[in-house]
């Protein structure tokens, strides 16, 4: 009796979570200088207190009236800069402020310091000119040395300069300035304010240490911040550091007990926050819940993880409704303000409108939690992007930390990705399709804002746009990966081709940022080739995918998939090749975190034993694998394929009663998943069953249904093979990427980059170290206070 070939488990056990991301500290790869300006002759700054032009006169000789006049001039220029900034004329605002720094008569040092900090903040918010901002901040540092007090200004200068060093990749300089900031905060008698700044510098230092791969040092810095937050009895700030520590443990994953301890600490601190305050900590809610999901996915606890996904999905929908309500109130308030601007209003009418205006403003303030007025001008910067309005960010901690993991759009896309990852194995393809489209649209919109349109390549990106581009590009690839898996499961081969070609094209355009995706693309090429019956090509791509990753888990999965393709080829030689691939994974299957690799290798090994007619041994392996899959993974496609093979075994052992029951269950599941190849496989076994039992009527009815399914599959295969993309996908060759020019290669080699060996979605926004430097980008930044990379 022949054995029809099983479709590979493209749900895989958690196939969508196998992507090992590459470190992408993108601010260090391409040396773009920022805003284009005409080159000017370098000027040497005069000594402190010396005017730029004219005759120098010591400050002490300046009269009181002169000082008052200079202060009024400064106030006027500051106000004019505010006016231009509100109108969006950032260039004019910067010129107003630089007029103070370039004045023929010098201002007081504190005036110049405030001005330079303001210039740096504007540049970092609204431009890519990091070096210009850095020069202003370094000058501010020199000026501040001559001023004994000004604790707040000194801390802001330290913090902003740290962020600049981070963006230009000067990590040793960043650590040095942060240690100075910690010493300043620790020795200050400023009380609560000093504690907050200590937390700021601790968070940034932890990030800098992570970039260098110093996990223990990073955790120590974060624990220092946690102790500081505990000392001032600030549970929300404690939660920020507790989640950050968990994030680092998830990256390192040396000891599962340490990870569990970090999880328990997060739960403990979260419970200590009053329920009404928890509702206001939406950023912490998403950060904490997503970290819990990543942990539970890693240990394959899908039941508990699904509850966290539901919590996040509900929170996302509630926030979106609130944001819509805010937009409606804002629209109404703007219309009201327009009416109040009329000069012909009667007193009574104006009074009524003013009262309504006050009510609307109060409603908005209650929702947003703060008034739009009175904001500090020297606030943390939003690198490379125009400052986002309230509601467009998910803050993790209060100023001056201003912690943000990812922009709200990226977090919400990640939540939708989680919904897809949990819905796909259950066959909820309609909902998955909606979420994939929604996520892709969100990401495309954000990429356009970053200047990534058709034709833009990796080398075209600005320094400060690279890190955020990396976040969205990685999310984009994950959505496309899941789309390929959904389409292949339903035998929609042409749609799967299109999504796979999109992945390839994005990789060709951004080969450094998306380096880790090459392995996943090769694996998906193997999945496609296997689904259309090209088993030799499928095995080739699976083996290549394994070579392109350093992840032991990913390598194991690729070996198992390649083994299944070899088994489907048939023959003793192919079986021997399959055994060579399965054997090493089978011997170490209990060493992996979770049961993903174990369930898949048991499936492949049982399938091989069945082909070799070792039926009893195959039955034991397959029964064990089915039980684990059903209990831990909940992957319906893998369960249906397990059942199909077990039904075939029962039939071969003439246990017709059990065979009938098992095969009917397998058919029900494969119908739910629209999995035509598995349906054909089940129906073929049912035909053999009815022949054994002599049930002619059932056999004829089954054969008629089987013929329809075969014809349907053949039509789909014909359409797929007729496509222009078919040959290039299954072709036994690697993807060819554009080679960097010599200058770009030098830039890439000059960057100290590192590798990551993590499961997705943990790799979204997480960096880690490698034993040796490479010419690749460093990982995504995930925070604001100096781009926290924890």
């Amino acid at each position: 009796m022949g054995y029809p070939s099983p479709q590979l488990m493209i749900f895989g056990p958690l196939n969508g979570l196998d992507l090992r991301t590459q470190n992408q500290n993108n601010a260090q790869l391409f040396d773009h200088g920022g805003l284009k300006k005409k080159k000017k002759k370098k000027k040497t700054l005069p000594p402190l207190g010396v005017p730029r032009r004219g005759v120098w006169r010591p400050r002490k000789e300046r009269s009181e009236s002169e000082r008052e006049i200079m202060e009024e001039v400064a106030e006027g220029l500051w106000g004019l800069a505010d006016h231009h900034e509100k109108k969006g004329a950032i260039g004019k605002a910067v010129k107003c402020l630089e007029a103070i720094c370039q004045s023929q008569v010098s201002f007081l040092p504190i005036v110049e310091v405030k001005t330079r900090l303001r210039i740096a903040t504007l540049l970092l918010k609204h431009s890519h000119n990091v070096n210009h901002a850095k020069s202003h901040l370094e000058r501010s540092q020199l000026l501040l040395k001559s001023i004994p007090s000004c604790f707040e200004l000194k801390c802001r200068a330290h913090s902003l300069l740290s962020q600049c060093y981070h963006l230009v990749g000067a990590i040793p300089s960043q650590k040095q300035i942060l240690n100075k900031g910690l010493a300043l905060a620790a020795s200050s008698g400023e009380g609560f304010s000093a504690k907050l700044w200590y937390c700021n510098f601790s968070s940034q230092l932890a990030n800098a240490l992570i970039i260098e791969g110093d996990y223990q040092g990073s955790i120590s810095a974060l624990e220092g911040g946690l102790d500081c937050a505990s000392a001032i009895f600030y549970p929300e700030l404690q939660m920020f550091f507790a989640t950050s520590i968990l994030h680092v443990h998830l990256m390192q994953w040396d000891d599962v007990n340490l990870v569990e301890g970090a999880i328990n600490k997060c739960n403990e601190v979260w419970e200590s926050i009053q329920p009404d305050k928890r509702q206001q900590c939406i950023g912490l809610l998403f950060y904490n819940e997503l970290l819990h999901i990543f942990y539970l996915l890693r240990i394959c606890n899908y039941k508990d993880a699904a509850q966290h996904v539901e919590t996040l999905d509900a929170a996302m929908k509630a926030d979106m409704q609130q944001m819509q309500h805010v937009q409606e109130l804002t629209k109404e308030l703007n219309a009201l303000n327009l009416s109040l601007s009329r000069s012909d209003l009667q007193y009574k009418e104006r009074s009524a409108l003013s009262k309504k205006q006050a009510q609307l403003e109060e409603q908005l303030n209650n929702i947003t939690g703060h008034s739009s007025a009175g904001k500090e001008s020297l606030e943390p910067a939003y690198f490379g992007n125009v400052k986002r309005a309230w509601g467009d960010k998910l803050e993790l901690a209060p100023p001056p930390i201003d912690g943000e993991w990812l922009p709200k759009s990226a977090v919400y896309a990640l939540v939708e990705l989680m919904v897809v990852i949990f819905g796909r194995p259950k066959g909820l393809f309609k909902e998955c399709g909606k979420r994939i489209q929604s996520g892709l649209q969100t990401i495309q919109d954000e990429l356009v804002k970053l200047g990534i349109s058709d034709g833009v390549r990796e080398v075209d990106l600005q320094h400060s746009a690279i890190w955020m581009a990396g976040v969205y590009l990685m999310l984009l690839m994950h959505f496309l990966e899941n789309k390929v898996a959904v389409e292949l499961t339903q035998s929609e081969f042409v749609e799967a081709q299109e999504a796979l070609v999109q992945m390839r094209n994005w990789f060709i355009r951004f080969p450094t940022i998306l380096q880790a995706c090459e392995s996943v693309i090769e694996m998906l090429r193997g999945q496609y080739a296997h689904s259309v019956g090209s088993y030799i090509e499928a095995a080739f791509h699976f083996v290549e995918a394994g070579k392109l990753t350093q992840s032991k888990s990913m390598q194991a999965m690729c070996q198992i998939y390649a083994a299944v393709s070899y088994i489907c080829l048939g023959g003793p030689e192919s079986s021997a090749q399959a055994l060579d691939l399965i054997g090493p994974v089978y011997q170490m299957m209990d060493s992996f975190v979770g049961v993903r690799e174990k369930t898949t290798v048991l499936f492949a090994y049982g399938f091989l034993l069945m082909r070799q007619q070792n039926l009893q041994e195959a039955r034991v392996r397959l029964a064990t694998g089915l039980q684990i899959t059903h209990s831990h993974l909940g992957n319906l496609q893998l369960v249906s394929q397990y059942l199909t093979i077990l039904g075939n075994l029962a039939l071969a052992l003439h246990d017709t009663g059990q065979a009938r029951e098992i095969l009917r269950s397998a058919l029900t599941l494969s119908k739910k998943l629209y999995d035509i190849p598995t349906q054909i496989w089940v129906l073929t076994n049912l035909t053999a069953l009815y022949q054994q039992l002599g049930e002619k009527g059932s056999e004829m009815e089954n054969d008629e249904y089987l013929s329809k399914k075969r014809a349907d599959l053949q039509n789909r295969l014909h359409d797929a093979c007729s496509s222009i993309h078919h040959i290039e996908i299954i072709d036994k060759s690697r993807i060819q990427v554009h080679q960097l020019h010599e200058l770009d290669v030098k830039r890439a080699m000059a960057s100290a980059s590192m590798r990551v060996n993590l499961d997705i979605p943990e790799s979204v926004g997480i960096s880690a170290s490698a034993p040796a430097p490479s010419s690749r980008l460093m990982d995504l930044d995930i925070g604001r206070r100096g781009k926290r990379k924890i």
Side-chain angles (χ1 to χ4, degrees), residues 370-670:
H370 57 76
S371 171
S372 59
K375 293 289 285 183
E376 286 279 354
S377 62
L378 296 174
E379 59 189 84
Y382 298 76
F383 295 96
N385 301 288
V386 175
K387 177 187 171 183
R388 296 193 297 280
W390 178 89
D392 290 339
K393 61 178 295 189
L394 294 168
E395 291 183 349
L396 299 180
I401 300 167
D402 194 36
E404 184 186 26
W405 176 34
L406 294 171
K408 181 182 282 189
S409 58
V411 173
Y412 282 1
L414 189 52
V415 172
E416 296 208 284
L417 180 63
M418 295 298 100
V419 174
V420 172
I421 287 173
F422 279 86
R424 186 164 58 89
K426 298 175 183 177
L428 305 176
F429 298 138
K430 188 175 181 180
E431 179 66 17
C432 287
K434 290 180 182 178
R435 298 303 183 111
I436 289 172
Q437 285 305 116
S438 174
L440 288 174
Q441 186 60 56
T442 297
I443 293 166
Q444 292 281 10
D445 292 344
E446 294 297 331
L447 289 175
V448 170
K449 293 177 186 177
L450 291 169
I452 300 178
S453 54
D454 293 342
V456 174
R457 304 176 70 90
E458 199 167 69
V459 292
D460 301 322
L461 294 178
Q462 295 280 2
H463 267 297
S464 50
I466 293 175
W467 76 272
M468 196 67 254
V471 171
Y472 286 111
L473 287 170
M474 292 298 293
L475 285 169
L476 175 71
M477 296 297 271
H478 285 302
F479 276 109
L480 290 173
E481 177 191 357
N482 278 273
K483 182 173 175 58
V484 172
V486 168
E487 303 298 358
L488 286 181
T489 302
Q490 301 178 93
S491 299
E492 299 289 353
F493 303 120
V494 175
E495 286 77 3
Q497 285 178 358
E498 293 173 356
L500 194 44
V501 168
Q502 286 185 55
M503 292 184 74
R504 181 201 62 187
N505 292 342
W506 281 108
F507 171 70
I508 290 172
R509 288 170 59 191
F510 299 91
T512 307
I513 292 175
L514 300 176
Q515 185 193 19
C517 295
E518 186 176 9
S519 175
V520 174
I521 293 171
E522 283 298 307
M523 185 187 70
L524 292 174
R525 290 175 75 184
Q527 296 280 14
Y528 171 83
H530 186 100
S531 297
V532 298
S534 301
Y535 302 124
I536 295 176
E537 291 82 357
F540 169 84
H541 289 298
F542 289 133
V543 171
E544 287 299 306
K547 293 177 183 177
L548 290 169
T549 180
Q550 294 183 343
S551 164
K552 297 299 182 184
S553 174
M554 182 70 164
Q555 290 171 357
M557 297 299 292
C558 291
Q559 286 179 233
I560 295 166
Y561 287 153
V564 174
S565 294
Y566 279 126
I567 295 169
C568 291
L569 280 170
E573 184 178 348
S574 296
S575 293
Q577 289 174 304
L579 186 59
D580 289 341
L581 291 166
I582 293 171
V585 181
Y586 186 80
Q587 291 175 4
M588 60 185 296
M589 64 182 179
D590 290 323
S591 66
F592 293 101
V593 177
V595 295
R596 174 178 41 177
E597 296 79 12
K598 185 173 184 177
T599 58
T600 317
V601 75
L602 285 171
F603 174 88
Y605 191 33
F607 186 37
L608 177 61
L609 289 171
M610 186 187 73
R611 281 294 179 91
Q612 294 174 338
Q613 296 302 311
N614 190 346
L615 304 185
Q616 291 293 352
E617 191 67 22
R619 200 174 198 178
V620 172
R621 299 289 185 276
L622 291 167
T624 302
L626 174 60
Q627 184 178 10
I628 296 172
T629 304
H630 184 267
S631 301
H632 296 275
L633 296 183
N635 187 321
L636 297 188
Q637 187 180 37
L638 186 54
V639 169
S640 69
Q641 293 181 3
Y642 260 117
L643 290 173
T644 304
I645 296 183
L646 285 167
N648 187 290
L649 278 171
L651 187 62
L653 294 168
H654 304 289
D655 189 347
T656 54
Q658 189 180 59
R660 185 196 298 269
E661 182 180 343
I662 292 174
L663 291 172
R664 282 181 174 175
S665 297
L667 185 60
T668 300
L669 288 178
S670 58

Side-chain angles (χ1 to χ4, degrees), residues 280 322 359-371 390:
Q280 300 171 12
Q322 186 184 61
Q359 291 174 348
L360 288 174
E361 287 178 343
E362 185 179 0
Q363 288 183 57
L364 280 170
N365 291 340
N366 288 337
I367 295 174
T368 60
H370 57 76
S371 171
W390 178 89

